[in-house]
Amino acid sequence: MAHGSSIIADISLAPWGRKEIEIAETEMPGLMACRAEFGEEKPLKGARISGSLHMTIQTAVLIETLRELGAELRWASCNIFSTQDHAAAAIAETGIPVFAVKGETLEEYWTYTDQIFQWEDGEPTNMILDDGGDATMYILLGARAEEGEDVLSNPGNEEEEILFAQIKKRMAETPGFFKRQRDAIRGVTEETTTGVNRLYQLQNKGLLPFPAINVNDSVTKSKFDNKYGCKESLVDGIRRATDVMMAGKVAIVCGYGDVGKGCAQSLVGAGARVKVTEVDPICALQAAMDGFEVVTLDDAGPDADIVVTTTGNKDVITLDHMRKFKDMAIVGNIGHFDNEIQVSALRNLQWTNVKPQVDMITFPDGKRILLLSEGRLLNLGNATGHPSFVMSASFTNQVLAQIELWTRPQNYENKVYVLPKHLDEKVARLHLDKLGAKLSTLSAEQAAYIGVSTEGPFKPDHYRY
Ligand code: NAI
């Protein structure tokens, strides 16, 4: 439904959303500290932020924090299944334009992404807050097309065709739109591993037209959200989708990076017998020494009850793998994009929708699998993503990154940066009290002995945590 300029599922959900936002605020000390520290000064005054990040309750607290710091905002989800409609309603009710509906189509997804750049006065966006890089890609692809580059032909798949159609529509309706947006953008802050990979690829090809802050590689983001967040939200998603008994079951986690480590722990916590696949010998060795059998999906797939991919890579669970899975194996992805599982190759099989975001797919021989969220990230599609507390750490990094790029553009070239370590440590510090953690302090002699300052940073940049 339309509400003001917003497009959301149902505005009557706003009071419920508001109550949950108030609860989340009590679990998001980093964001609340940003409001206390910067609320009066309004460092984001003048910033017009186009946000593309899962429209959840936690994101609502981020949005309202950015607004309190002076920013104007327009928001869309970065995934068709991840919106919490009550959160979207609560934000729409405040008058901030939001374009997000759980279960929106891909056409709607790209229309909504376009909408976050359509300010009412017709002036362009000057900051992007991105998760996965779609908002950034939308503007940059469009701008290259406007400059006459042939970037909109030969789409590889149906999804790209839908994106290209949206770009062509905007080019026809508003000539020069993309170049104008691109040239007005002071910077982008990127939330996740996959989006950050895209940014480094742009930088390496000399195609990044503004500075970017890689929020993902703040220690207080990837070593917390990706790991401890997935530790809680992976099993939550599988349970809400299937109610399956996990204890005793064989589960395979593909990929043992930050997300994979959290997912493996999540399944261990539920009593599953967990195996891991990896391509990187370092991560494979970590998995083995954490006590997991390291296998290949070819060998171990046929014995698994649950298979989850966490790699950020494509074609990790193939049609051939799935043909050999057990009857009623549960198959899901928690990486950013849906191409980790070859879902398009399943489309001509028999699909039985069990409930939203849960499908039973029957193979010609009668064997069935349960596919979660059509292969899109299942913790946000089948559950509600990570808990507030860990998202507070991620989003405090986002707020600090937005302030950095907006207020100190002269310090940044058109490259990808991470936040300095003292800010990373600050984010962690802001989350200690809530857990009753008491820090020890270094004496001047101790600090001198290990070569740091008593106030930090406590580690060199190459330290890996
Ligand atoms: P990472 O780079 O730390 O880990 C990915 C791992 O997968 C690497 O160790 C890599 O060697 C391995 N890998 C790559 N191809 C493989 C293959 N074919 N088979 C087995 N292993 C393979 O990345 P991270 O931070 O763990 O993120 C993974 C994905 O999850 C990304 O797409 C990221 O954007 C997404 N993400 C999702 C979240 C969620 O809430 N659903 C939260 C955070 C990140």
Side-chain angles (χ1 to χ4, degrees), residues 33-300:
C34 288
R35 292 186 194 185
E37 183 176 347
F38 302 112
E40 226 165 276
E41 181 195 333
K42 308 238 175 289
L44 293 176
K45 193 160 188 302
R48 298 152 71 98
I49 304 175
S50 295
S52 168
L53 193 154
H54 312 290
M55 184 56 254
T56 63
I57 291 292
Q58 292 71 33
T59 302
V61 183
L62 168 65
I63 291 171
E64 294 193 331
T65 303
L66 293 165
R67 186 189 50 184
E68 199 159 318
L69 270 52
E72 287 177 78
L73 299 125
R74 297 176 77 81
W75 213 269
S77 255
C78 60
N79 185 282
I80 61 172
F81 291 141
S82 63
T83 297
Q84 290 164 20
D85 289 322
H86 59 322
I91 291 300
E93 199 183 51
T94 68
I96 296 173
V98 41
F99 309 90
V101 177
K102 189 175 180 79
E104 65 203 30
T105 64
L106 275 171
E107 282 84 358
E108 286 164 341
Y109 175 79
W110 286 109
T111 311
Y112 298 167
T113 303
D114 176 74
Q115 279 302 313
I116 63 177
F117 296 98
Q118 306 296 334
W119 299 84
E120 266 151 38
D121 60 7
E123 291 300 311
T125 284
N126 51 33
M127 293 291 291
I128 294 179
L129 192 157
D130 220 348
D131 182 347
D134 277 356
T136 305
M137 181 178 71
Y138 181 63
I139 296 302
L140 296 190
L141 262 187
R144 287 169 60 197
E146 281 175 346
E147 282 170 343
E149 245 189 274
D150 184 19
V151 286
L152 301 184
S153 57
N154 301 321
N157 58 39
E158 196 190 338
E159 291 193 18
E160 267 171 14
E161 257 170 56
I162 295 169
L163 160 64
F164 291 180
Q166 172 59 46
I167 292 177
K168 285 176 189 160
K169 183 163 167 248
R170 178 52 61 203
M171 284 169 71
E173 277 174 21
T174 322
F177 169 80
F178 290 102
K179 281 196 280 181
R180 190 155 169 257
Q181 296 286 334
R182 179 197 60 193
D183 296 345
I185 288 167
R186 207 174 269 190
V188 52
T189 60
E190 169 55 55
E191 175 80 1
T192 198
T193 316
T194 286
V196 160
N197 283 345
R198 282 177 159 185
L199 287 172
Y200 284 112
Q201 285 177 22
L202 286 170
Q203 172 186 280
N204 295 343
K205 289 183 198 149
L207 293 174
L208 189 64
F210 34 68
I213 291 187
N214 162 1
V215 168
N216 183 68
D217 286 294
S218 287
V219 179
T220 48
K221 199 284 184 180
S222 49
K223 298 292 169 187
F224 289 81
D225 166 326
N226 304 26
K227 183 178 170 190
Y228 302 110
C230 289
K231 185 175 174 191
E232 306 227 357
S233 64
L234 173 73
V235 158
D236 187 15
I238 298 172
R239 283 201 205 286
R240 292 200 209 193
T242 65
D243 293 318
V244 77
M245 176 86 181
M246 270 179 258
K249 297 285 167 55
V250 173
I252 298 180
V253 174
C254 302
Y256 202 67
D258 292 320
V259 169
K261 289 179 174 76
C263 289
Q265 282 303 325
S266 187
L267 291 158
V268 165
R273 290 177 287 153
V274 182
K275 302 178 184 181
V276 167
T277 76
E278 252 299 343
V279 293
D280 177 338
I282 297 177
C283 298
L285 187 61
Q286 283 181 312
M289 295 183 70
D290 284 339
F292 300 109
E293 198 180 332
V294 180
V295 297
T296 67
L297 197 53
D298 288 333
D299 291 345

Side-chain angles (χ1 to χ4, degrees), residues 330-358:
I330 295 167
V331 182
N333 162 45
I334 195 165
H336 190 80
F337 285 121
D338 61 335
N339 53 356
E340 300 210 16
I341 304 175
Q342 287 182 341
V343 177
S344 51
L346 299 172
R347 289 286 174 199
N348 54 1
L349 301 178
Q350 184 195 325
W351 285 52
T352 308
N353 184 249
V354 180
K355 61 181 181 181
Q357 287 84 53
V358 182

